[in-house]
Amino acid sequence: YCDIIANESVRMNNMVMKLLEITKYDSGAYEPQREQFSLKELVDDWYDRNSAILTEKEITAINAVEEEFIGNGDIIILASVLNNYLSNAVSHIDGAKKIVCRAEDMGDSYRLFVFNTGENIEEKHLDKIWTSFYRADKALSRSQGRFGLGLAIVASIQRLHGEKYGVNNKDGGVEFWFDIKKTEKT
């Protein structure tokens, strides 16, 4: 019983910390620490840190982000956005088991896309997945450390940066995206 209580305490602590993170970003009390960074290196860093799980699950991970795309924002919390998207991609991958990160120049910002092969998200869930505790896939449960808070954190971080985010169903998979402000040229 003590092990069960200890495990539940850890899960509850993780959930509370994620809720506090959302509150911190939405309250206006947190000021993003803006700096320049390479979008390609941001993706490469995640792939490197997670190479063991990618190999174990036999996932092909492609980084098609262009070298010259240099963003400006709080790299620590924007890395959290990317981590949420890529962790979800790994969890929901199916079929060809492929993840592709790419970016497009949107004018004042870059749009970073994370595509994974697998099932599409039902249309009725697309606008709700950004809400705290909402899980479109009920099979991925709380026992796996999933509370339905990751995409709510993404939404909070993007609102904090004044940038857009979203998701699109594609042929053979799902593509999440978020905008990162461009570095201003001097």
Side-chain angles (χ1 to χ4, degrees), residues 31 66 135:
E31 183 66 33
E66 296 182 40
R135 289 190 321 254

Side-chain angles (χ1 to χ4, degrees), residues 14 33 41 53-54 63 69 93 103 119 143 147 156 180 184:
N14 288 340
Q33 303 302 306
E41 288 177 15
I53 190 84
L54 294 171
N63 184 354
F69 285 5
I93 202 156
E119 291 185 28
S143 66
F147 300 101
S156 292
I180 299 170
E184 293 180 14

Side-chain angles (χ1 to χ4, degrees), residues 6-181:
N7 288 338
E8 280 300 310
S9 295
V10 168
R11 277 197 283 275
M12 187 63 81
N13 182 62
N14 288 340
M15 181 180 64
V16 169
M17 295 309 290
K18 288 182 184 223
L19 285 169
L20 289 172
E21 187 176 353
I22 292 168
T23 302
K24 175 174 71 172
Y25 300 143
D26 285 343
S27 72
Y30 182 85
E31 183 66 33
Q33 303 302 306
R34 294 189 174 274
E35 61 183 286
Q36 293 185 101
F37 61 93
S38 163
L39 275 65
K40 185 171 190 67
E41 288 177 15
L42 184 68
V43 173
D44 280 339
D45 181 58
W46 192 94
Y47 283 174
D48 290 345
R49 285 183 291 107
N50 293 277
S51 62
I53 190 84
L54 294 171
T55 301
E56 176 188 322
K57 292 191 170 217
E58 299 176 339
I59 296 171
T60 301
I62 299 166
N63 184 354
V65 177
E66 296 182 40
E67 291 276 349
E68 63 270 11
F69 285 5
I70 305 298
N72 184 294
D74 192 320
I75 191 168
I76 301 297
I77 61 176
L78 289 172
S80 179
V81 172
L82 183 64
N83 179 61
N84 275 303
Y85 281 177
L86 285 167
S87 295
N88 284 346
V90 168
S91 295
H92 294 278
I93 202 156
D94 201 5
K97 292 189 173 184
K98 185 187 258 185
I99 295 174
V100 178
C101 289
R102 65 183 183 86
E104 291 180 9
D105 188 329
M106 304 299 289
D108 290 337
S109 61
Y110 295 111
R111 183 160 289 170
L112 185 58
F113 296 90
V114 176
F115 171 82
N116 69 276
T117 57
E119 291 185 28
N120 288 158
I121 299 170
E122 290 182 54
E123 291 293 322
K124 67 182 181 181
H125 297 298
L126 286 176
D127 60 340
K128 298 175 186 166
I129 59 174
W130 310 101
T131 306
S132 295
F133 300 111
Y134 190 84
R135 289 190 321 254
D137 184 351
K138 306 301 182 201
L140 293 174
S141 71
R142 194 173 58 90
S143 66
Q144 296 169 316
R146 304 181 71 88
F147 300 101
L149 293 171
L151 294 177
I153 291 171
V154 164
S156 292
I157 291 170
Q158 288 304 102
R159 284 191 300 266
L160 179 68
H161 279 87
E163 297 292 337
K164 297 176 184 174
Y165 56 95
V167 61
N168 299 307
N169 284 320
K170 296 288 196 179
D171 286 338
V174 177
E175 188 172 64
F176 282 85
W177 57 268
F178 68 107
D179 290 353
I180 299 170
K181 187 143 192 80

